[in-house]
Amino acid sequence: MNIVFLDRKSLGDDLDLSEFKKLGNVTEYGFTETADIPERAKDADILIVNKTLVNEQTIGTATHLRAVCVTATGVNNIDIPYLESRGIGWHNVAGYSTDSVAQHTIAIALYMYEHLPYYDDYTRTGKYASDTLFTHFAKTFHELTGKQWGIVGLGAIGHRVAEIASVLGCNVVYYSTSGVERHEKYPRLDWDEFLETSDIISIHSPLNSHTEGLFNTAAFEKMKSDALLVNVARGQIVNEQDLADALDDGTIGAAALDTLSREPMAADSPFLRMKNKDRILITPHIGWASTEARQRLMKIILEQVKEEIK
């Protein structure tokens, strides 16, 4: 049994793969360029990928392939009809990172909401050591109690963020991108009211025809001038040039992003050209990647492989 990891580095180097090695021969590639996939996959029985492309061109010569396991929830990188036409099984994972992403949402939101980048710099550079007052009021912040936290995408992660935000004293509301009426304990607002009244907005929805480019200049102009936008979903939900402009001209207060339209970050990203970079925090798509979440993910993949080789 040949088990091949095509982009092992995407899982982190700290994970233990010893259980996989008990099931067969394990071959690990840190990264795999598209042109190299046919050669690396040709003898695989089980192929484990994250973002690597899986289609007729890349695995057409993999004659022994039984299954493809995707170490993510999204499967837009695999050609499902082609796999099914060959009788090759496919699996993805879901629900493994709910707590991790929710925690990261709260962390980056609070980091920006309390202007912690400014205060960190203020002390690190020695400015506090040369001050005369024990406290510093250059960047004031507000309590979360009584503020409105708006959620786009009230799925598992959205619900977890809503629970935490409620504990912090926020009034949670949500906007439904699908328009489907559901019974929720949180109020559902129409788009304009949602934008106009929310102090913090966090995005947790999938990328689809309803959400692509949803946050653009028109949306930012409806938001509060001190509103905070948090995106831990998909980068394409936010028009990045529009957001950079809205932050630079003060249309909205700040943004915290864990996903971008292009990852790794594009060299010509509008965020790199911003004048007011203190208004934005960008983390490199790490919200899903707590140690515990990645361990849960690999346990799910392990069970999938075991099922395939029975």
Side-chain angles (χ1 to χ4, degrees):
M1 182 62 56
N2 293 318
I3 302 169
V4 179
F5 288 77
L6 286 181
D7 42 12
R8 171 70 175 82
K9 288 285 187 181
S10 67
L11 301 171
D13 294 328
D14 56 327
L15 293 184
D16 179 11
L17 299 184
S18 60
E19 291 299 313
F20 288 88
K21 295 176 182 178
K22 295 176 182 178
L23 303 177
N25 300 316
V26 175
T27 304
E28 303 174 36
Y29 297 101
F31 300 100
T32 300
E33 298 291 341
T34 301
D36 296 326
I37 299 173
E39 177 63 25
R40 294 181 175 184
K42 67 178 183 179
D43 295 322
D45 296 291
I46 305 292
L47 208 55
I48 300 177
V49 304
N50 188 301
K51 298 292 187 281
T52 307
L53 292 177
V54 177
N55 52 39
E56 184 174 4
Q57 288 69 42
T58 59
I59 63 161
T61 57
T63 57
H64 306 297
L65 193 59
R66 297 190 187 188
V68 175
C69 297
V70 182
T71 60
T73 302
V75 292
N76 58 306
N77 58 312
I78 69 172
D79 186 339
I80 295 174
Y82 173 69
L83 293 179
E84 292 179 343
S85 74
R86 285 186 51 187
I88 298 171
W90 65 272
H91 306 273
N92 64 338
V93 289
Y96 66 95
S97 64
T98 297
D99 287 334
S100 183
V101 177
Q103 175 178 303
H104 193 66
T105 301
I106 300 299
I108 60 178
L110 290 178
Y111 187 69
M112 294 303 288
Y113 194 72
E114 293 198 358
H115 305 292
L116 297 185
Y118 170 83
Y119 285 113
D120 183 34
D121 179 73
Y122 173 73
T123 57
R124 285 178 183 270
T125 57
K127 294 176 183 177
Y128 186 37
S130 61
D131 210 338
T132 55
L133 192 62
F134 73 95
T135 193
H136 187 68
F137 295 104
K139 295 280 189 180
T140 57
F141 62 92
H142 299 278
E143 294 179 354
L144 286 176
T145 300
K147 298 299 183 292
Q148 182 167 298
W149 191 304
I151 291 181
V152 180
L154 202 56
I157 295 172
H159 269 105
R160 189 73 181 107
V161 171
E163 292 171 358
I164 300 170
S166 296
V167 170
L168 292 173
C170 295
N171 300 318
V172 174
V173 300
Y174 80 101
Y175 170 72
S176 172
T177 58
S178 67
V180 176
E181 190 67 45
R182 299 180 302 181
H183 177 69
E184 296 285 354
K185 67 178 182 178
Y186 307 108
R188 173 187 168 189
L189 304 184
D190 65 34
W191 183 233
D192 286 354
E193 184 181 4
F194 178 84
L195 294 173
E196 292 166 359
T197 59
S198 294
D199 298 289
I200 299 173
I201 294 175
S202 59
I203 306 171
H204 310 282
S205 57
L207 176 65
N208 54 39
S209 59
H210 298 294
T211 61
E212 185 170 6
L214 182 64
F215 282 87
N216 53 21
T217 296
F220 298 136
E221 289 177 346
K222 291 182 173 70
M223 292 169 62
K224 293 183 176 183
S225 61
D226 61 351
L228 169 63
L229 178 70
V230 181
N231 186 16
V232 294
R234 289 292 180 265
Q236 296 90 335
I237 295 174
V238 176
N239 183 302
E240 294 181 347
Q241 184 63 64
D242 289 358
L243 175 58
D245 292 341
L247 292 169
D248 265 344
D249 63 25
T251 302
I252 66 171
L257 312 176
D258 187 50
T259 56
L260 299 171
S261 60
R262 179 176 165 186
E263 296 171 349
M265 189 177 192
D268 61 349
S269 169
F271 301 128
L272 295 175
R273 301 191 302 271
M274 284 179 57
K275 300 187 298 290
N276 297 315
K277 292 181 181 179
D278 60 326
R279 290 176 174 264
I280 190 167
L281 168 68
I282 300 174
T283 54
H285 206 144
I286 60 170
W288 67 280
S290 69
T291 298
E292 292 82 1
R294 288 180 293 118
Q295 289 172 341
R296 282 192 292 270
L297 181 154
M298 293 315 295
K299 286 180 180 178
I300 295 171
I301 296 291
L302 180 65
E303 292 306 312
Q304 293 170 351
V305 173
K306 287 179 178 178
E307 284 297 314
E308 289 292 342
I309 64 177
K310 279 184 178 179

PDB file of all heavy atoms in Angstrom, residues 219-237:
ATOM      1  N   ALA A 219     -20.582  48.675   0.209  1.00  0.00           N
ATOM      2  CA  ALA A 219     -20.814  48.148   1.554  1.00  0.00           C
ATOM      3  C   ALA A 219     -20.074  48.974   2.594  1.00  0.00           C
ATOM      4  O   ALA A 219     -20.633  49.330   3.650  1.00  0.00           O
ATOM      5  CB  ALA A 219     -20.377  46.689   1.630  1.00  0.00           C
ATOM      6  N   PHE A 220     -18.818  49.313   2.317  1.00  0.00           N
ATOM      7  CA  PHE A 220     -18.025  50.067   3.286  1.00  0.00           C
ATOM      8  C   PHE A 220     -18.630  51.447   3.548  1.00  0.00           C
ATOM      9  O   PHE A 220     -18.577  51.944   4.675  1.00  0.00           O
ATOM     10  CB  PHE A 220     -16.581  50.204   2.799  1.00  0.00           C
ATOM     11  CG  PHE A 220     -15.880  48.883   2.635  1.00  0.00           C
ATOM     12  CD1 PHE A 220     -15.097  48.628   1.516  1.00  0.00           C
ATOM     13  CD2 PHE A 220     -16.007  47.879   3.588  1.00  0.00           C
ATOM     14  CE1 PHE A 220     -14.461  47.410   1.351  1.00  0.00           C
ATOM     15  CE2 PHE A 220     -15.376  46.656   3.438  1.00  0.00           C
ATOM     16  CZ  PHE A 220     -14.605  46.417   2.315  1.00  0.00           C
ATOM     17  N   GLU A 221     -19.201  52.035   2.533  1.00  0.00           N
ATOM     18  CA  GLU A 221     -19.803  53.361   2.703  1.00  0.00           C
ATOM     19  C   GLU A 221     -21.031  53.339   3.594  1.00  0.00           C
ATOM     20  O   GLU A 221     -21.420  54.363   4.146  1.00  0.00           O
ATOM     21  CB  GLU A 221     -20.145  53.956   1.333  1.00  0.00           C
ATOM     22  CG  GLU A 221     -18.903  54.366   0.543  1.00  0.00           C
ATOM     23  CD  GLU A 221     -19.221  54.884  -0.839  1.00  0.00           C
ATOM     24  OE1 GLU A 221     -20.388  54.675  -1.299  1.00  0.00           O
ATOM     25  OE2 GLU A 221     -18.333  55.477  -1.473  1.00  0.00           O
ATOM     26  N   LYS A 222     -21.636  52.163   3.765  1.00  0.00           N
ATOM     27  CA  LYS A 222     -22.795  52.030   4.650  1.00  0.00           C
ATOM     28  C   LYS A 222     -22.385  51.725   6.093  1.00  0.00           C
ATOM     29  O   LYS A 222     -23.180  51.869   7.012  1.00  0.00           O
ATOM     30  CB  LYS A 222     -23.727  50.923   4.144  1.00  0.00           C
ATOM     31  CG  LYS A 222     -24.452  51.237   2.833  1.00  0.00           C
ATOM     32  CD  LYS A 222     -25.390  50.102   2.461  1.00  0.00           C
ATOM     33  CE  LYS A 222     -26.261  50.461   1.254  1.00  0.00           C
ATOM     34  NZ  LYS A 222     -25.477  50.535   0.012  1.00  0.00           N
ATOM     35  N   MET A 223     -21.141  51.284   6.295  1.00  0.00           N
ATOM     36  CA  MET A 223     -20.687  50.896   7.629  1.00  0.00           C
ATOM     37  C   MET A 223     -20.319  52.110   8.470  1.00  0.00           C
ATOM     38  O   MET A 223     -20.077  53.205   7.949  1.00  0.00           O
ATOM     39  CB  MET A 223     -19.483  49.956   7.507  1.00  0.00           C
ATOM     40  CG  MET A 223     -19.830  48.590   6.910  1.00  0.00           C
ATOM     41  SD  MET A 223     -18.370  47.570   6.466  1.00  0.00           S
ATOM     42  CE  MET A 223     -17.595  47.353   8.073  1.00  0.00           C
ATOM     43  N   LYS A 224     -20.260  51.907   9.766  1.00  0.00           N
ATOM     44  CA  LYS A 224     -19.838  52.968  10.677  1.00  0.00           C
ATOM     45  C   LYS A 224     -18.388  53.349  10.395  1.00  0.00           C
ATOM     46  O   LYS A 224     -17.568  52.507  10.012  1.00  0.00           O
ATOM     47  CB  LYS A 224     -19.974  52.502  12.131  1.00  0.00           C
ATOM     48  CG  LYS A 224     -21.404  52.273  12.596  1.00  0.00           C
ATOM     49  CD  LYS A 224     -21.420  51.891  14.075  1.00  0.00           C
ATOM     50  CE  LYS A 224     -22.834  51.751  14.601  1.00  0.00           C
ATOM     51  NZ  LYS A 224     -22.867  51.452  16.055  1.00  0.00           N
ATOM     52  N   SER A 225     -18.066  54.594  10.634  1.00  0.00           N
ATOM     53  CA  SER A 225     -16.708  55.066  10.339  1.00  0.00           C
ATOM     54  C   SER A 225     -15.661  54.462  11.271  1.00  0.00           C
ATOM     55  O   SER A 225     -14.470  54.489  10.953  1.00  0.00           O
ATOM     56  CB  SER A 225     -16.655  56.590  10.425  1.00  0.00           C
ATOM     57  OG  SER A 225     -17.001  57.022  11.737  1.00  0.00           O
ATOM     58  N   ASP A 226     -16.094  53.913  12.411  1.00  0.00           N
ATOM     59  CA  ASP A 226     -15.145  53.255  13.320  1.00  0.00           C
ATOM     60  C   ASP A 226     -15.357  51.741  13.366  1.00  0.00           C
ATOM     61  O   ASP A 226     -14.860  51.065  14.267  1.00  0.00           O
ATOM     62  CB  ASP A 226     -15.240  53.842  14.722  1.00  0.00           C
ATOM     63  CG  ASP A 226     -16.627  53.674  15.347  1.00  0.00           C
ATOM     64  OD1 ASP A 226     -17.565  53.251  14.631  1.00  0.00           O
ATOM     65  OD2 ASP A 226     -16.770  53.968  16.551  1.00  0.00           O
ATOM     66  N   ALA A 227     -16.084  51.207  12.395  1.00  0.00           N
ATOM     67  CA  ALA A 227     -16.377  49.772  12.381  1.00  0.00           C
ATOM     68  C   ALA A 227     -15.117  48.955  12.112  1.00  0.00           C
ATOM     69  O   ALA A 227     -14.188  49.397  11.429  1.00  0.00           O
ATOM     70  CB  ALA A 227     -17.433  49.463  11.317  1.00  0.00           C
ATOM     71  N   LEU A 228     -15.115  47.746  12.654  1.00  0.00           N
ATOM     72  CA  LEU A 228     -14.023  46.790  12.450  1.00  0.00           C
ATOM     73  C   LEU A 228     -14.535  45.628  11.621  1.00  0.00           C
ATOM     74  O   LEU A 228     -15.555  45.018  11.953  1.00  0.00           O
ATOM     75  CB  LEU A 228     -13.512  46.282  13.797  1.00  0.00           C
ATOM     76  CG  LEU A 228     -12.552  45.086  13.772  1.00  0.00           C
ATOM     77  CD1 LEU A 228     -11.264  45.430  13.037  1.00  0.00           C
ATOM     78  CD2 LEU A 228     -12.254  44.604  15.197  1.00  0.00           C
ATOM     79  N   LEU A 229     -13.826  45.306  10.535  1.00  0.00           N
ATOM     80  CA  LEU A 229     -14.168  44.167   9.690  1.00  0.00           C
ATOM     81  C   LEU A 229     -13.170  43.048   9.912  1.00  0.00           C
ATOM     82  O   LEU A 229     -11.952  43.270   9.872  1.00  0.00           O
ATOM     83  CB  LEU A 229     -14.152  44.576   8.211  1.00  0.00           C
ATOM     84  CG  LEU A 229     -14.461  43.451   7.210  1.00  0.00           C
ATOM     85  CD1 LEU A 229     -15.927  43.036   7.309  1.00  0.00           C
ATOM     86  CD2 LEU A 229     -14.117  43.884   5.784  1.00  0.00           C
ATOM     87  N   VAL A 230     -13.680  41.830  10.146  1.00  0.00           N
ATOM     88  CA  VAL A 230     -12.832  40.658  10.358  1.00  0.00           C
ATOM     89  C   VAL A 230     -13.208  39.607   9.321  1.00  0.00           C
ATOM     90  O   VAL A 230     -14.377  39.234   9.201  1.00  0.00           O
ATOM     91  CB  VAL A 230     -13.019  40.073  11.774  1.00  0.00           C
ATOM     92  CG1 VAL A 230     -12.109  38.867  11.974  1.00  0.00           C
ATOM     93  CG2 VAL A 230     -12.769  41.132  12.835  1.00  0.00           C
ATOM     94  N   ASN A 231     -12.221  39.126   8.572  1.00  0.00           N
ATOM     95  CA  ASN A 231     -12.496  38.076   7.588  1.00  0.00           C
ATOM     96  C   ASN A 231     -11.620  36.863   7.853  1.00  0.00           C
ATOM     97  O   ASN A 231     -10.402  36.917   7.712  1.00  0.00           O
ATOM     98  CB  ASN A 231     -12.254  38.581   6.163  1.00  0.00           C
ATOM     99  CG  ASN A 231     -12.667  37.542   5.114  1.00  0.00           C
ATOM    100  OD1 ASN A 231     -13.387  36.589   5.421  1.00  0.00           O
ATOM    101  ND2 ASN A 231     -12.221  37.724   3.886  1.00  0.00           N
ATOM    102  N   VAL A 232     -12.252  35.761   8.255  1.00  0.00           N
ATOM    103  CA  VAL A 232     -11.550  34.496   8.444  1.00  0.00           C
ATOM    104  C   VAL A 232     -12.149  33.424   7.532  1.00  0.00           C
ATOM    105  O   VAL A 232     -11.931  32.232   7.749  1.00  0.00           O
ATOM    106  CB  VAL A 232     -11.616  34.030   9.921  1.00  0.00           C
ATOM    107  CG1 VAL A 232     -10.861  34.974  10.825  1.00  0.00           C
ATOM    108  CG2 VAL A 232     -13.068  33.896  10.382  1.00  0.00           C
ATOM    109  N   ALA A 233     -12.872  33.856   6.516  1.00  0.00           N
ATOM    110  CA  ALA A 233     -13.546  32.920   5.610  1.00  0.00           C
ATOM    111  C   ALA A 233     -12.733  32.742   4.332  1.00  0.00           C
ATOM    112  O   ALA A 233     -11.773  31.986   4.298  1.00  0.00           O
ATOM    113  CB  ALA A 233     -14.960  33.413   5.319  1.00  0.00           C
ATOM    114  N   ARG A 234     -13.104  33.450   3.276  1.00  0.00           N
ATOM    115  CA  ARG A 234     -12.382  33.391   2.011  1.00  0.00           C
ATOM    116  C   ARG A 234     -12.048  34.803   1.557  1.00  0.00           C
ATOM    117  O   ARG A 234     -12.880  35.706   1.648  1.00  0.00           O
ATOM    118  CB  ARG A 234     -13.214  32.673   0.936  1.00  0.00           C
ATOM    119  CG  ARG A 234     -13.332  31.172   1.176  1.00  0.00           C
ATOM    120  CD  ARG A 234     -11.999  30.469   0.989  1.00  0.00           C
ATOM    121  NE  ARG A 234     -12.062  29.024   1.217  1.00  0.00           N
ATOM    122  CZ  ARG A 234     -11.779  28.434   2.356  1.00  0.00           C
ATOM    123  NH1 ARG A 234     -11.429  29.167   3.406  1.00  0.00           N
ATOM    124  NH2 ARG A 234     -11.828  27.123   2.476  1.00  0.00           N
ATOM    125  N   GLY A 235     -10.836  34.985   1.059  1.00  0.00           N
ATOM    126  CA  GLY A 235     -10.371  36.315   0.703  1.00  0.00           C
ATOM    127  C   GLY A 235     -11.202  37.002  -0.350  1.00  0.00           C
ATOM    128  O   GLY A 235     -11.397  38.230  -0.323  1.00  0.00           O
ATOM    129  N   GLN A 236     -11.752  36.224  -1.289  1.00  0.00           N
ATOM    130  CA  GLN A 236     -12.492  36.815  -2.399  1.00  0.00           C
ATOM    131  C   GLN A 236     -13.835  37.408  -1.995  1.00  0.00           C
ATOM    132  O   GLN A 236     -14.491  38.072  -2.792  1.00  0.00           O
ATOM    133  CB  GLN A 236     -12.717  35.764  -3.500  1.00  0.00           C
ATOM    134  CG  GLN A 236     -11.439  35.270  -4.158  1.00  0.00           C
ATOM    135  CD  GLN A 236     -10.853  34.060  -3.452  1.00  0.00           C
ATOM    136  OE1 GLN A 236     -11.085  33.845  -2.257  1.00  0.00           O
ATOM    137  NE2 GLN A 236     -10.087  33.256  -4.175  1.00  0.00           N
ATOM    138  N   ILE A 237     -14.246  37.195  -0.756  1.00  0.00           N
ATOM    139  CA  ILE A 237     -15.492  37.792  -0.280  1.00  0.00           C
ATOM    140  C   ILE A 237     -15.321  39.301  -0.113  1.00  0.00           C
ATOM    141  O   ILE A 237     -16.285  40.062  -0.167  1.00  0.00           O
ATOM    142  CB  ILE A 237     -15.931  37.123   1.044  1.00  0.00           C
ATOM    143  CG1 ILE A 237     -16.264  35.651   0.788  1.00  0.00           C
ATOM    144  CG2 ILE A 237     -17.126  37.833   1.667  1.00  0.00           C
ATOM    145  CD1 ILE A 237     -16.570  34.852   2.041  1.00  0.00           C
TER     146      ILE A 237
END
